[in-house]
């Protein structure tokens, strides 16, 4: 073969290779179009870790923080009101509740109203015990047993000392018009009277001094929520405070029945400034300790019945379930323990 012929053959072979290469590229383009979407990798399954600890079931109560129901206060003082307390003021033993004809009308704390004039003339009774107990607490009368107390010269002198401390006339006697008897220290909720009104009447209402929560108990939890139970109160700003159910009462019957709970608040300072706000109260109704639990979404329902947990390798482990609380469930079964990772639904 001559040199020129050999050159022609080589050129032809190269040209053929280029054509085949071009055709191959075209084939590739036909098999995978330029606008085809990329193949997504399979996402890893969500997992959860089996935990051991305390699992608690709770009831959720909707409530309101406040000072409770206001009650009117009866005043029997003579004359015209010359000074009234401010809303929010606190009335304690010995506090001046109002002034009538510029004369102080102080507060006593007790369960029995003063219904007669009392002095040092050898009187006894429930009202005498109430006044004596107050004078003892105020430091004007030597301590003894109020229940068996009988008035005498020491009682009259104690009354005079108290009257003098209030800039009142030292008579040594007290009557229903001279004092206001409250069952406990109280907070002024509302004032309806005005200076110049007659002193006798119901010039203001009072509440307890401590804030409480008044909450509705859902019908399905009525039998599981009782007085004395501990509670967690979720405040509007996200903080929580602890408390206890003081009372649980039912009003109405049948479908009209309503269950209400009064919840005390342990840390009153934590709710300073919150006079009326919606809160959530959670009360533990059932609790189990030292148990294994996982999210409810981890349970696999078996065709033959029952439930299982699936480990990361795909193996199923049959379990028995116990208490369900919120989105957690108590589990027990062979081959599972705290720290084990299981597959869970998102």
């Amino acid at each position: 073969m001559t040199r020129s012929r050999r050159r022609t053959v080589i050129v032809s072979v190269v040209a053929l290779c280029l054509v085949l290469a071009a055709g191959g590229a075209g084939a590739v383009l036909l098999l995978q179009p330029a606008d085809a979407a990329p193949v997504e990798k399979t996402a890893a399954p969500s997992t959860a870790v089996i935990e051991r600890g305390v699992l608690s079931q709770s009831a959720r109560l909707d409530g309101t923080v406040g000072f409770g129901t206001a009650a009117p206060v009866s005043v029997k003082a003579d004359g015209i009101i010359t000074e009234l307390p401010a809303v929010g003021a606190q009335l304690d033993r010995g506090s001046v509740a109002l002034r009538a004809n510029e004369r102080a009308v102080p507060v006593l704390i007790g369960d029995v109203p003063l219904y007669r004039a009392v002095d040092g003339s050898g009187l006894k009774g429930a009202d005498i015990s109430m006044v004596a107990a107050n004078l003892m607490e105020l430091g004007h009368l030597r301590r003894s047993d109020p229940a068996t107390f009988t008035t005498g010269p020491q009682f009259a002198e104690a009354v005079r000392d108290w009257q003098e401390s209030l800039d009142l006339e030292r008579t040594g006697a007290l009557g229903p018009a001279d004092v206001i008897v409250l069952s406990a220290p109280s907070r002024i909720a509302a004032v309806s009277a005005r200076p110049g009104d007659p002193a006798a009447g119901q010039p203001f209402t009072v509440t307890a001094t401590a804030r409480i929560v008044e909450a509705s108990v859902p019908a399905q939890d009525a039998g599981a929520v009782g007085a004395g139970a501990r509670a967690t109160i979720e405040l509007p700003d996200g903080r929580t405070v602890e408390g206890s159910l003081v009372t649980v009462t039912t009003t109405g019957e049948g479908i009209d029945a309503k269950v209400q709970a009064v919840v005390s608040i342990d840390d009153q300072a934590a709710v300073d400034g919150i006079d009326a706000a919606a809160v959530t109260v959670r009360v533990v109704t059932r609790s189990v300790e030292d148990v294994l639990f996982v999210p409810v979404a981890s349970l696999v329902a078996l065709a033959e019945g029952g439930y299982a947990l699936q480990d990361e390798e795909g193996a199923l482990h049959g379990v028995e379930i116990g208490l369900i609380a919120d989105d957690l469930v108590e589990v027990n079964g062979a081959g599972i323990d705290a720290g084990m990772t299981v597959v869970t639904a998102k």
Side-chain angles (χ1 to χ4, degrees), residues 16 19 37 51 201 276 278:
L16 179 61
V19 171
E51 297 183 56

Side-chain angles (χ1 to χ4, degrees), residues 196-248:
D197 288 347
Q202 296 181 335
F204 49 79
T205 59
V206 297
T207 63
T209 58
R211 290 174 175 83
I212 60 171
V213 175
E214 294 178 295
S216 299
V217 180
Q220 67 269 21
D221 297 314
V225 174
R230 294 294 294 167
T232 299
I233 303 155
E234 300 173 2
L235 301 176
D237 60 6
R239 294 179 297 129
T240 61
V241 292
E242 298 302 307
S244 298
L245 271 66
V246 179
T247 59
V248 179

Side-chain angles (χ1 to χ4, degrees), residues 30-114:
L30 288 173
L31 291 173
Q32 183 172 337
D35 60 352
V39 178
E40 293 185 2
K41 294 183 178 179
T42 302
S46 298
T47 59
V49 176
I50 299 175
E51 297 183 56
R52 180 183 294 277
V54 178
L55 189 60
S56 298
Q57 192 175 63
S58 62
R60 181 184 184 277
L61 285 56
D62 293 326
T64 304
V65 171
F67 290 94
T69 303
V73 173
S74 295
V75 178
K76 301 187 180 302
D78 298 323
I80 299 300
I81 294 174
T82 52
E83 184 179 328
L84 285 161
V87 172
Q90 184 165 320
L91 300 180
D92 297 307
R93 178 183 283 111
S95 297
V96 175
L98 55 77
R99 292 182 185 274
N101 294 351
E102 296 295 338
R103 182 176 182 273
V105 182
V107 171
L108 296 179
I109 302 299
D111 295 325
V112 180
L114 187 59

Side-chain angles (χ1 to χ4, degrees), residues 15 42 68 151 167 183 194 214 230 237 239 254 259 264 273 284 305-306 339:
T42 302
T151 67
D167 199 24
S183 60
R194 297 180 179 181
E214 294 178 295
R230 294 294 294 167
D237 60 6
R239 294 179 297 129
V259 182
S264 65
V284 174

Side-chain angles (χ1 to χ4, degrees), residues 20-334:
L20 291 175
V28 171
L29 290 175
L30 288 173
L31 291 173
Q32 183 172 337
D35 60 352
V39 178
E40 293 185 2
K41 294 183 178 179
T42 302
S46 298
T47 59
V49 176
I50 299 175
E51 297 183 56
R52 180 183 294 277
V54 178
L55 189 60
S56 298
Q57 192 175 63
S58 62
R60 181 184 184 277
L61 285 56
D62 293 326
T64 304
V65 171
F67 290 94
T69 303
V73 173
S74 295
V75 178
K76 301 187 180 302
D78 298 323
I80 299 300
I81 294 174
T82 52
E83 184 179 328
L84 285 161
V87 172
Q90 184 165 320
L91 300 180
D92 297 307
R93 178 183 283 111
S95 297
V96 175
L98 55 77
R99 292 182 185 274
N101 294 351
E102 296 295 338
R103 182 176 182 273
V105 182
V107 171
L108 296 179
I109 302 299
D111 295 325
V112 180
L114 187 59
Y115 57 87
R116 57 178 169 170
V118 296
D119 54 21
S121 60
L123 300 172
K124 60 183 178 179
D127 57 338
I128 300 298
S129 297
M130 181 272 296
V131 175
N134 277 271
L135 292 174
M136 292 175 194
E137 291 296 327
L138 291 168
H140 296 290
L141 186 63
R142 184 169 55 87
R143 288 190 177 275
S144 62
D145 183 3
T148 59
F149 190 86
T150 301
T151 67
Q154 289 185 340
F155 176 83
E157 186 59 28
V159 172
R160 281 191 283 269
D161 287 346
W162 185 40
Q163 290 171 329
E164 183 176 9
S165 72
L166 295 168
D167 199 24
L168 295 170
E169 183 182 358
R170 288 169 48 89
T171 64
L174 294 174
D178 298 323
V179 297
I180 293 174
V181 180
L182 301 176
S183 60
S186 303
R187 170 186 174 275
I188 299 294
V191 178
S192 56
R194 297 180 179 181
D197 288 347
Q202 296 181 335
F204 49 79
T205 59
V206 297
T207 63
T209 58
R211 290 174 175 83
I212 60 171
V213 175
E214 294 178 295
S216 299
V217 180
Q220 67 269 21
D221 297 314
V225 174
R230 294 294 294 167
T232 299
I233 303 155
E234 300 173 2
L235 301 176
D237 60 6
R239 294 179 297 129
T240 61
V241 292
E242 298 302 307
S244 298
L245 271 66
V246 179
T247 59
V248 179
T249 56
T250 302
T251 58
E253 297 180 357
I255 61 173
D256 296 323
K258 294 182 179 180
V259 182
Q260 298 291 122
V262 173
V263 186
S264 65
I265 301 173
D266 292 350
D267 184 3
Q268 287 290 310
V271 290
D272 276 351
I274 305 177
D275 291 349
V279 297
T280 298
V281 179
R282 296 192 180 277
V283 182
V284 174
T285 56
R286 184 184 171 194
S287 184
V288 289
E289 299 182 359
D290 194 29
V291 296
L292 299 173
F293 56 85
V294 294
V296 172
S298 301
L299 293 176
V300 177
L302 301 176
E304 62 272 23
Y307 296 93
L309 297 176
Q310 183 180 10
D311 62 29
E312 291 182 289
E313 284 71 40
L316 293 176
H317 304 263
V319 293
E320 295 180 355
I321 64 173
L323 180 66
I324 298 175
D326 296 326
D327 61 346
L328 300 175
V329 58
E330 176 189 357
V331 293
N332 183 37

